Amino acid sequence: MRCAPPPDFRYVWLVPGPSFRALTLAAGTVGLSSLGLALGPETAAWSLTSGSLPIGLAVAGGAAFAVGLVRQIQRPRAPFGAREVNMAIVPWGVLVDPGAEARILRWSAIRKVEVEVKHTLRGGTPAIVSSVVTVQTEHDVLAGHAPGAVGLESLTVNLDAYTDEASRPLATDLEGMDALDEDGLGPVVGLLLRHAQELCSTSRGAARLHLPAGDYRRALLRAPGPETVAVLGRALAGDVPGAADPRPIAALCAALLGAQAVTPKLLRLSSSPHPIVAAVARAAALRLGVAPAKVGSIEEVDEFLFEEDRVIIARIAAGID
């Protein structure tokens, strides 16, 4: 099983940009206001120098607005026909109009992501002053702006790989041979947890994990041996013969067995483009004692999870089976 490099971005906020018509109208309004200030009948009330102060204020105000207008014009324009919206790009997809009624776009719903930037020279060094990001789905083209660089180079290069990884069925075994039928259609973490508990407690599972036969709680009396850590490590890395993804069930087994030796692999999975993989890896790492600031909060993934999965994942992180 080949895995994409984890996304190197966490939360990219984008907003609609002002239209050129709006900028032109604003420029005209400020220009007329400045002229009125300079030549209006109340000029004497502003200064005893026959209007030199208001004229100066008008010039200064116009100059300040001109600077702002130039900055807006420096912004790259969204493609023709694109709908400009508020968006948040996270490792698991795109949230359109984030909030109570956010529209969720998983990677499988996104056909293309493009980034256009505007440069300027600062002290002779090129610098990005603004960016526009375009997200294309099967039926829609969305765009949003951000100041400076957005750091989405890995997304534009690896979008197809993220889509493949996020769409891969989840495994109920450590070899990736048995896929979960419910994957993507409903809550899955409860089923994965039951399979993990069976692996850790049955004689067959104990043999696969190189554990002593019996309840996994007895195995917690001592740290998992190197053979167990090696099996879990291979599954967490996706180094398995099957096509299904064994990483969530491996993370759950690691959490149940107290396998702290695999926490570096769990941290790597905490930003996986598959939301279940990321959320379960975070829960397992938290249960194994990793600081929340290091692994990230489970709540960051909430929008991409079913409510039942959220509850079970929170219980796993808290050490409640």
Side-chain angles (χ1 to χ4, degrees), residues 14 30 61 69 79 89 135 137 159 169 188-189 201 210 215 259 278 300 314:
L14 304 167
V30 170
L69 181 60
I89 299 181
V135 176
T137 70
L159 176 60
V188 296
V189 179
S201 60
H210 301 280
D215 193 290
E300 290 179 348

Side-chain angles (χ1 to χ4, degrees), residues 17-45:
S19 66
F20 186 78
R21 179 180 179 183
L23 289 173
T24 303
L25 179 61
T29 301
V30 170
L32 289 174
S33 299
S34 299
L35 184 61
L37 175 63
L39 302 178
E42 289 81 12
T43 297

Side-chain angles (χ1 to χ4, degrees), residues 13-20 22-23 66-79 84-86 115-120 122 127-133 143-148 150:
W13 175 253
L14 304 167
V15 298
S19 66
F20 186 78
L23 289 173
V67 171
L69 181 60
V70 168
R71 288 178 177 174
Q72 294 292 349
I73 293 175
Q74 283 182 333
R75 299 173 69 166
R77 299 183 66 180
E84 299 196 26
V85 295
N86 293 306
V115 179
E116 296 290 338
V117 299
K118 279 285 188 179
H119 294 85
T120 189
R122 292 177 179 169
I128 297 175
V129 294
S130 59
S131 305
V132 60
V133 180
H145 298 256
V150 290

Side-chain angles (χ1 to χ4, degrees), residues 171-174 192-201 205-206 208-209 211 216 219-220 224 228 231-233 235-236 246-260 262 266 280 284 287-288 316:
T172 58
D173 66 323
L174 295 173
L192 290 173
L193 180 59
R194 286 197 290 273
H195 282 285
Q197 289 169 336
E198 290 176 4
L199 272 172
C200 295
S201 60
R208 178 68 186 90
L209 286 166
L211 295 172
Y216 71 86
L220 287 177
T228 302
V231 170
L232 293 175
L236 289 171
R247 296 176 299 171
I249 194 169
L252 291 170
C253 288
L256 295 173
L257 296 172
Q260 293 182 334
V262 301
L266 294 173
V280 170
R287 179 167 174 150
L288 292 172
I316 293 168

Side-chain angles (χ1 to χ4, degrees), residues 64-317:
F65 181 81
V67 171
L69 181 60
V70 168
R71 288 178 177 174
Q72 294 292 349
I73 293 175
Q74 283 182 333
R75 299 173 69 166
R77 299 183 66 180
F80 178 78
R83 183 163 60 92
E84 299 196 26
V85 295
N86 293 306
M87 288 189 290
I89 299 181
V90 295
W92 312 283
V94 177
L95 301 174
V96 182
D97 292 324
E101 301 297 329
R103 175 186 173 193
I104 298 171
L105 297 176
R106 300 174 185 270
W107 295 131
S108 58
I110 297 173
R111 299 292 179 263
K112 183 186 292 186
V113 176
E114 294 181 320
V115 179
E116 296 290 338
V117 299
K118 279 285 188 179
H119 294 85
T120 189
L121 288 178
R122 292 177 179 169
T125 302
I128 297 175
V129 294
S130 59
S131 305
V132 60
V133 180
T134 305
V135 176
Q136 182 177 339
T137 70
E138 185 176 357
H139 303 292
D140 208 355
V141 179
L142 308 173
H145 298 256
V150 290
L152 292 175
E153 292 80 8
S154 64
L155 173 58
T156 59
V157 172
N158 295 308
L159 176 60
D160 290 342
Y162 292 165
T163 299
D164 291 343
E165 184 170 338
S167 303
R168 185 172 292 125
L170 302 180
T172 58
D173 66 323
L174 295 173
E175 292 77 27
M177 304 301 292
D178 300 323
L180 195 65
D181 293 337
E182 292 83 356
D183 186 25
L185 303 176
V188 296
V189 179
L191 292 171
L192 290 173
L193 180 59
R194 286 197 290 273
H195 282 285
Q197 289 169 336
E198 290 176 4
L199 272 172
C200 295
S201 60
T202 64
S203 57
R204 181 180 177 183
R208 178 68 186 90
L209 286 166
H210 301 280
L211 295 172
D215 193 290
Y216 71 86
R217 290 180 176 83
R218 290 169 52 190
L220 287 177
L221 298 177
R222 60 184 179 85
E227 298 89 351
T228 302
V229 170
V231 170
L232 293 175
R234 285 193 295 271
L236 289 171
D239 183 15
V240 296
D245 191 341
R247 296 176 299 171
I249 194 169
L252 291 170
C253 288
L256 295 173
L257 296 172
Q260 293 182 334
V262 301
T263 52
K265 294 184 181 295
L266 294 173
L267 290 175
R268 179 175 173 82
L269 295 181
S270 65
S271 293
S272 166
H274 196 306
I276 294 293
V277 174
V280 170
R282 292 184 181 203
L286 291 170
R287 179 167 174 150
L288 292 172
V290 178
K294 189 173 184 180
V295 69
S297 71
I298 299 171
E299 287 75 14
E300 290 179 348
V301 199
D302 274 357
E303 296 284 359
F304 296 85
L305 302 174
F306 287 98
E307 178 62 27
E308 181 180 323
D309 284 342
R310 294 177 197 165
V311 173
I312 296 175
I313 288 171
R315 290 171 61 87
I316 293 168

